[in-house]
Each structure stands twice: as C-alpha cells, then as structure tokens.
C-alpha cells in the first residue's frame, strides 16, 4: 500500500510538472503571431486488482497513479488584429499557408510577410517562399507601385507604367498570382517544429485544397492573427496545476512519514 501511494504521488508530480511546462509555454507565447495553444490531458495508469468481481460484487482495485495521455493543439482562431501593413496577411477561418525553404515544406498561420531580396515576391519572416498558383511570369512586384490581396488570396498589383492595349485603352493593374490556403482533416494533429511552423503527421492527414473556395479560410490583408491563448484561462490553470503539484507532494511526504513510523516500531 505504501509503495503504491508513493508511486502514485510521484506520477502526479511528474504529470503536473509537465502541465506547468505546457501552461508556461502558452503564457510565453501570448503575443506570438498565429500561435495555437496546447492542452494536456491525463489518464489513469494500470490498476492493481486485489480481488476480482463476482456476482453481486464489484472488483476491488487500487489505482497506480496517472500519466500524460496527450498534449493537444487547440486550433481555434485567434483575434485578427489590423496592422495597416500591406505585407501582413491573416486567415479568417480554417486553413494554413504553405511555405518552403527550397527543400522542405511546412505550414503556418503567421502571415507577417516581407519582400524577398530581389523584391519580386512575398516571403515569410524566415525567408521561406509562400506557395502561390497562377503566378504572373511577365510582371512581378518590382513592376508595381502598390498591391492588394483580396479574400481569395489574389495579389493585384498597380503597375508603375500602364499597359497600352493598342485600342485606345490602358491596363493599370495585373493579377500577380494567388496565395493558396491549405486545410487538414485533423489540424490538431499537426506537429509544431518551432518558428510558428507546423508539419503534417499521420494524425493530421493529408492537406486539402479547394480551388473554388481557396480552402475554408478568407485572407485578410493589413492584419495579423494573434495567439489564441487566453491569459485568464492560463492563470486559472496555473493555479490548479500548482495546487495539484503541492497535493501530490503531500502524498509523497505523508507516505514517507508513515514509512518512518514503521521503521521506528522496532525500537
């Protein structure tokens, strides 16, 4: 009995240490663009069967503590905050931007974009290229004085010099391409790899793109999605985890005191 209580108390200490780590990481990312908070779930360990069940009698079991069952990504949307920066884009709804470093492909909700060194296209803050379709091979951002991004991700550039159509009319804007939005059957199954990037896993499933609706998210220019961390919830969870840690520590110290009493019985 004493060894079981010690083991249960130690498992609780380990679990709530992990819980504090998860909560602390959430709090530290409260202002991280596009961050998705994590949530820890516990499950009980094996039970020691002291006596099996029989007719009209329940089994006699003693639990052996708890363990971490999963740490889930909570993929609810963060608040879309206006920034006034035309290079900032947010996804209002589901979906992720697809980016690449030339070798690997990742997914992100962070739309703090900038121009690449050549000034020809938009890249992430880490310099990764964002996936686009129907890119214009004749004109790029260097040929434009300004640009807008509509809800479907189409980049419309205002040309520095209008195009003479030869019929007495001119064209002052061109479509430079469309930013795609990718969705997953189970976005909570995406794995975080740092730098606000995710990679698919067996749990997330393969990405999907609907060319008619551009995924399930609407792109908003001049805005960034904030973290979905709620400080009120996290501070409450922090207090609960702290008290649970203290209670498990008390279980360990109480079991230790009883062991001490048993050792002293022979005196």
């Amino acid at each position: 009995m004493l060894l079981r209580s010690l083991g249960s108390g130690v498992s609780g200490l380990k679990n709530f240490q992990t819980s504090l780590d998860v909560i602390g990481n959430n709090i530290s990312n409260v202002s991280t663009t596009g961050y998705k908070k994590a949530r820890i779930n516990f499950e009980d360990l094996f039970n020691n069967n002291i006596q099996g069940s029989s007719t009209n009698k329940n089994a006699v079991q003693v639990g052996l503590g708890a363990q971490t069952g999963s740490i889930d990504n909570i993929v609810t949307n963060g608040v879309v905050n206006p920034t006034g920066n035309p290079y900032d884009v947010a996804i209002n709804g589901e979906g992720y931007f697809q980016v690449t470093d030339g070798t690997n492909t990742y997914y992100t909700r962070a739309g703090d974009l900038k121009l690449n060194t050549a000034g020809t296209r938009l890249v992430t803050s880490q310099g990764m290229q964002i996936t686009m379709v129907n890119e214009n091979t004749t004109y790029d951002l260097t040929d434009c004085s300004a640009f807008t991004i509509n809800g479907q991700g189409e980049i419309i550039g205002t040309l520095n010099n209008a195009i003479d159509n030869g019929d007495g009319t001119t064209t002052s804007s061109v479509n430079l391409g469309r930013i795609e939005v990718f969705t997953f059957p189970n976005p909570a199954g995406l794995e975080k790899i740092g730098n606000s990037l995710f990679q698919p896993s067996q749990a997330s499933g393969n990405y999907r793109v609907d060319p008619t609706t551009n995924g399930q998210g609407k792109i908003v220019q001049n805005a960034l999605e904030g973290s979905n961390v709620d400080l009120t919830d996290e501070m409450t969870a922090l207090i609960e985890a702290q008290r649970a840690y203290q209670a498990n520590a008390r279980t360990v110290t109480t079991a230790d005191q009883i062991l001490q009493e048993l050792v002293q019985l022979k005196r």
Side-chain angles (χ1 to χ4, degrees), residues 3-5 7-9 11 44-48 62-67:
L3 292 178
R4 286 197 294 262
S5 62
S8 296
S11 71
D44 63 338
L45 280 168
F46 298 108
N47 287 279
N48 184 204
V62 176
L64 300 178
Q67 64 182 351

Side-chain angles (χ1 to χ4, degrees), residues 140-243:
D140 56 41
L141 288 172
T142 59
D143 301 307
C144 302
S145 59
F147 69 93
T148 59
I149 303 175
N150 64 22
Q152 288 70 47
E154 294 175 335
I155 304 176
I156 310 299
T158 302
L159 292 170
N160 296 319
N161 300 301
I163 304 170
D164 187 348
N165 296 322
D167 58 1
T169 63
T170 59
T171 299
S172 59
S173 62
V174 293
N175 191 323
L176 300 177
R178 177 166 61 82
I179 299 173
E180 283 199 295
V181 172
F182 296 76
T183 60
F184 293 86
N186 176 30
L190 292 170
E191 295 180 355
K192 296 177 180 178
I193 62 170
N195 293 323
S196 297
L197 300 174
F198 297 85
Q199 66 181 10
S201 68
Q202 291 182 346
S204 68
N206 296 323
Y207 68 76
R208 300 177 296 194
V209 177
D210 186 341
T212 60
T213 61
N214 195 28
Q216 299 182 22
K218 181 179 179 181
I219 292 181
V220 182
Q221 189 183 15
N222 303 304
L224 288 175
E225 180 191 15
S227 167
N228 67 350
V229 173
D230 186 319
L231 274 180
T232 302
D233 292 341
E234 296 304 319
M235 296 306 295
T236 301
L238 186 64
I239 294 172
E240 291 177 351
Q242 179 185 13
R243 297 308 181 199

Side-chain angles (χ1 to χ4, degrees), residues 75-154:
V75 295
T76 55
N77 291 342
V79 177
V80 176
N81 300 305
T83 64
N85 184 351
Y87 299 105
D88 290 339
V89 289
I91 300 175
N92 187 11
E94 297 182 22
Y96 294 79
F97 301 115
Q98 186 186 72
V99 298
T100 178
D101 58 7
T103 303
N104 301 303
T105 300
Y106 306 104
Y107 299 86
T108 184
R109 293 278 294 192
D112 47 335
L113 306 180
K114 63 179 182 179
L115 289 175
N116 62 0
T117 304
T120 57
R121 63 173 296 159
L122 298 171
V123 296
T124 68
S125 57
Q126 293 87 29
M128 295 188 180
Q129 290 191 1
I130 189 165
T131 297
M132 293 175 54
V133 294
N134 303 325
E135 287 193 70
N136 194 319
T137 58
T138 304
Y139 299 95
D140 56 41
L141 288 172
T142 59
D143 301 307
C144 302
S145 59
F147 69 93
T148 59
I149 303 175
N150 64 22
Q152 288 70 47
E154 294 175 335

Side-chain angles (χ1 to χ4, degrees), residues 258-267:
I258 295 175
L259 280 173
Q260 185 178 11
E261 292 295 329
L262 287 174
V263 170
Q264 293 176 348
L265 283 177
K266 63 177 294 185
R267 296 182 180 180

Side-chain angles (χ1 to χ4, degrees), residues 2-3 5-6 250-260:
L2 295 176
L3 292 178
S5 62
L6 281 171
R250 183 60 59 87
T251 298
V252 173
T253 56
T254 300
D256 174 61
Q257 291 172 357
I258 295 175
L259 280 173
Q260 185 178 11

Side-chain angles (χ1 to χ4, degrees), residues 24-62:
N25 185 61
N26 286 340
I27 294 173
S28 69
N29 283 283
V30 68
S31 297
T32 300
T33 300
Y35 177 77
K36 300 304 175 189
K37 68 180 180 180
R39 179 189 64 196
I40 189 169
N41 299 308
F42 299 128
E43 58 187 23
D44 63 338
L45 280 168
F46 298 108
N47 287 279
N48 184 204
N49 289 321
I50 298 175
Q51 184 176 342
S53 61
S54 60
T55 303
N56 299 324
K57 185 175 181 180
N58 296 330
V60 178
Q61 296 178 302
V62 176

